[in-house]
């Protein structure tokens, strides 16, 4: 399954370092070429010889040691890696990469690589929850680095909480999903909308919503990794668009409507994850509205419904809409599936913890026209994106 793939496993100094042996062995069994880089601290927990035997390759620890193989000398691990996994990833390596510090072989390789980088953190709960660590993780996620959520349980230090290295089997599955996916959307044109819309009140004020764009960008990333030719139409967000997608920034609902319609005809799949404002101020002011005595009334008029219009225009395309609800989730989502002539509705209850706006995870139901209502339990937005794409593939057969 992984024949021909080059995986670099970075092992940092934590009690869970021994679990990386199992990870390396699983990658090898799947046919991958594996190279291990250990930090000096990692060698306090596991001997490099163990990784050498399992990977059948020399293990690199010190960046200044003499290369033992010409292959390592001339084609650096950074260049030949298809994916770089750091497991366990300590707060230290996360902090170094987030702040551009490259002072050993592992941090240098990560910094010099254009491959996808996946961190599987493992550390004490309080350390993991520390705002500095969380800020570093957030920063790296926004830059396109991937994280595998640590598990909860009893930690080596005796504390109970989040911070345990995720199970090796799950780490291997996640790496394959993130970085080495099947190309089952190869050649398909897929348009995804993401983020909020912004409606001008006056030059300094606007109406918008809480969408961060994470859900839509995850769909764009997953679709692109699976071979699709992706157009990402996005309202303003703080996220870097995945490399290689055709990125179309938009602002208002009308602007998003025009952009989507312009690119609609050539699409095979359209996924509408954007949170589109239903209303806009009727007469946006050219100059700042000055404060006056009494209340201010702004008249709002309806925006065009992009999904509804796509439902009318669609021919062979697979049309996927979202439903963001706070109550009667399945009832309202079913109404949207029928009214908007969508093939699939992804319904999320935005009041649930770990779901909806801004979070890194989501909890969704997939509702199709055959009446199936499949629940996807809480998972990262990238995993949810892949489940949505699996369903799209199923519908297109
Ligand atoms: O961006 P994140 O922070 O990651 O949050 C993700 C999300 C909550 C925004 C996402 O999961 C989601 O639910 N997106 C749809 C939000 C929304 O507008 O839902 P709705 O139920 O109001 O709209 C139903 C569908 O019609 C949506 O596909 C929407 O894009 C579309 N729509 C709505 C209004 C409109 N004028 N035009 C539309 O096309």
């Amino acid at each position: 399954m992984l024949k021909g793939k080059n995986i670099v496993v970075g092992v940092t100094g934590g009690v869970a370092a021994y679990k990386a042996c199992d990870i390396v062995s699983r990658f090898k069994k799947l046919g991958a070429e594996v190279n291990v880089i250990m930090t000096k601290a990692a060698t306090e927990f596991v001997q490099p010889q163990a990784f050498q035997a399992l990977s059948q390759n020399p293990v690199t620890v010190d960046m200044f040691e003499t290369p033992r193989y010409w292959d390592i000398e001339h084609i650096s691990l950074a260049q030949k890696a298809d994916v770089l996994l750091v497991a366990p990833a300590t707060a230290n390596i996360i902090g170094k990469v987030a702040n551009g510090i490259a002072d050993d072989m592992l941090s240098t390789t990560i910094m010099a690589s254009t491959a996808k980088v996946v961190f599987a953190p493992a550390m004490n709960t309080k350390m993991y929850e520390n705002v500095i660590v969380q800020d570093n993780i957030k920063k790296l996620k926004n830059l396109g680095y991937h994280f595998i959520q640590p598990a909860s349980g009893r930690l080596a230090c005796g504390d109970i909480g989040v911070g345990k290295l995720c199970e090796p089997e799950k780490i291997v599955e996640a790496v394959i999903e993130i970085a080495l996916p099947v190309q089952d959307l190869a050649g398909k044109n897929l348009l995804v909308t993401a983020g909020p819309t912004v409606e001008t009140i006056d030059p300094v004020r606007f109406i918008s919503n809480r969408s961060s764009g994470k859900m839509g960008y995850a769909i764009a990333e997953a679709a692109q990794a699976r071979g699709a030719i992706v157009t990402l139409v996005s309202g303003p967000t703080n996220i870097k668009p995945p490399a290689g997608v055709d990125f179309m920034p938009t602002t208002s609902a009308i602007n998003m409507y025009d952009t989507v319609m312009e690119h609609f005809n050539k699409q095979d799949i359209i996924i509408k994850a954007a949170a589109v404002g239903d209303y806009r101020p009727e007469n946006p002011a050219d100059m700042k509205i000055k404060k006056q005595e009494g209340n201010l009334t702004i008249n709002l008029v309806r925006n065009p419904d992009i999904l509804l219009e796509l439902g009318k225009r669609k021919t062979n395309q697979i049309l996927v809409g979202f439903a963001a609800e706070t109550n009667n989730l399945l009832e309202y989502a079913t109404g949207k599936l029928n009214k908007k002539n969508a093939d699939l509705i992804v319904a999320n209850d935005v009041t649930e913890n770990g779901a909806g706006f801004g979070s890194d995870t989501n909890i969704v139901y997939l509702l199709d026209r055959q009446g199936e209502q499949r629940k996807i339990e809480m998972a990262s937005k990238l995993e949810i994106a892949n489940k949505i794409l699996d369903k799209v593939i199923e519908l297109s057969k």
Side-chain angles (χ1 to χ4, degrees):
M1 181 188 197
L2 297 178
K3 216 168 168 16
K5 298 289 177 194
N6 285 295
I7 302 178
V8 172
V9 178
V11 185
T12 64
V15 185
Y18 75 94
K19 287 194 182 172
C21 294
D22 190 5
I23 295 170
V24 169
S25 146
R26 284 171 188 269
F27 282 140
K28 283 299 287 182
K29 280 187 191 141
L30 291 170
E33 173 74 9
V34 184
N35 284 277
V36 177
I37 302 175
M38 299 178 78
T39 60
K40 275 233 166 81
T43 63
E44 302 288 332
F45 295 90
V46 183
Q47 288 290 312
Q49 285 82 348
F51 288 112
Q52 185 161 323
L54 290 167
S55 67
Q56 291 154 25
N57 270 319
V59 173
T60 315
V61 179
D62 187 336
M63 82 187 271
F64 299 112
E65 74 185 13
T66 316
R68 278 161 288 187
Y69 284 77
W70 70 268
D71 183 41
I72 293 180
E73 191 176 1
H74 296 285
I75 308 163
S76 76
L77 295 178
Q79 281 171 317
K80 77 175 199 180
D82 290 300
V83 56
L84 231 148
L85 166 72
V86 186
T90 54
N92 188 45
I93 188 74
I94 293 168
K96 276 195 210 176
V97 180
N99 292 287
I101 298 167
D103 65 352
D104 60 9
M105 186 64 181
L106 181 57
S107 50
T108 307
T109 307
I110 294 171
M111 224 73 86
S113 180
T114 51
K116 292 216 166 149
V117 179
V118 184
F119 290 98
M123 66 194 81
N124 165 274
T125 305
K126 298 221 169 45
M127 215 166 163
Y128 182 68
E129 287 170 350
N130 185 302
V131 283
I132 300 171
V133 173
Q134 286 303 316
D135 274 357
N136 285 335
I137 292 177
K138 201 168 157 190
K139 181 174 173 186
L140 288 173
K141 278 185 180 172
N142 285 341
L143 290 169
Y145 291 81
H146 295 272
F147 281 80
I148 299 172
Q149 176 77 7
S152 284
R154 180 176 286 280
L155 306 175
C157 58
D159 283 5
I160 295 175
V162 71
K164 261 169 85 87
L165 184 72
C166 180
E167 282 311 313
E169 189 184 352
K170 287 198 172 153
I171 291 180
V172 170
E173 272 172 23
V175 169
I176 293 171
E177 192 159 288
I178 290 166
L180 309 162
V182 283
Q183 296 292 293
D184 52 2
L185 288 171
K188 296 276 181 210
N189 286 294
L190 182 148
L191 183 148
V192 55
T193 67
T197 53
V198 176
E199 306 295 347
T200 300
I201 296 173
D202 70 12
V204 297
R205 303 179 181 95
F206 58 83
I207 301 174
S208 189
N209 59 63
R210 298 180 196 281
S211 172
S212 64
K214 286 179 185 172
M215 190 66 247
Y217 280 58
I219 294 170
E221 182 183 341
Q224 211 222 3
R226 289 166 76 153
I229 302 148
V230 177
T231 303
L232 171 60
V233 178
S234 172
T237 73
N238 290 321
I239 315 175
K240 199 172 138 216
V245 307
D246 200 1
F247 181 63
M248 311 265 159
T250 57
T251 49
S252 65
I254 290 181
N255 185 201
M256 187 175 274
Y257 176 97
D258 290 341
T259 310
V260 169
M261 295 311 159
E262 196 187 320
H263 295 89
F264 167 68
N265 279 338
K266 69 167 189 209
Q267 304 304 324
D268 300 299
I269 302 154
I270 298 120
I271 306 184
K272 292 237 43 283
V276 184
D278 288 320
Y279 298 92
R280 67 179 185 280
E282 185 172 23
N283 297 308
D286 291 336
M287 279 180 280
K288 184 181 173 191
I289 300 171
K290 297 306 286 178
K291 197 162 41 194
Q292 288 164 1
E293 287 301 312
N295 296 336
L296 171 72
T297 302
I298 297 172
N299 203 30
L300 300 178
V301 292
R302 283 292 297 268
N303 268 328
D305 189 321
I306 309 170
L307 183 60
L308 186 76
E309 185 56 31
L310 292 173
K312 287 181 192 156
R313 293 192 192 187
K314 93 177 158 94
T315 49
N316 297 323
Q317 292 94 345
I318 302 269
L319 182 59
V320 182
F322 269 68
E325 308 294 349
T326 55
N327 53 312
N328 303 340
L329 179 66
L330 295 177
E331 183 193 330
Y332 291 158
T334 306
K336 282 175 183 167
L337 179 73
N338 295 327
K339 185 174 169 214
K340 305 201 184 196
N341 192 25
D343 297 291
L344 182 70
I345 287 283
V346 182
N348 44 189
D349 179 340
V350 294
T351 62
E352 252 185 291
N353 270 343
F357 296 107
S359 61
D360 288 335
T361 54
N362 210 349
I363 305 162
V364 303
Y365 283 86
L366 303 183
L367 282 71
D368 68 17
R369 299 197 75 78
Q370 283 66 50
E372 191 188 83
Q373 300 184 344
R374 188 185 299 172
K375 184 171 188 189
I376 317 280
E377 299 292 348
M378 192 191 297
S380 71
K381 283 188 171 161
L382 192 65
E383 286 170 271
I384 299 277
N386 274 303
K387 298 278 186 234
I388 296 168
L389 294 175
D390 290 345
K391 182 71 188 177
V392 166
I393 301 266
E394 200 182 304
L395 291 175
S396 56
K397 277 181 185 155

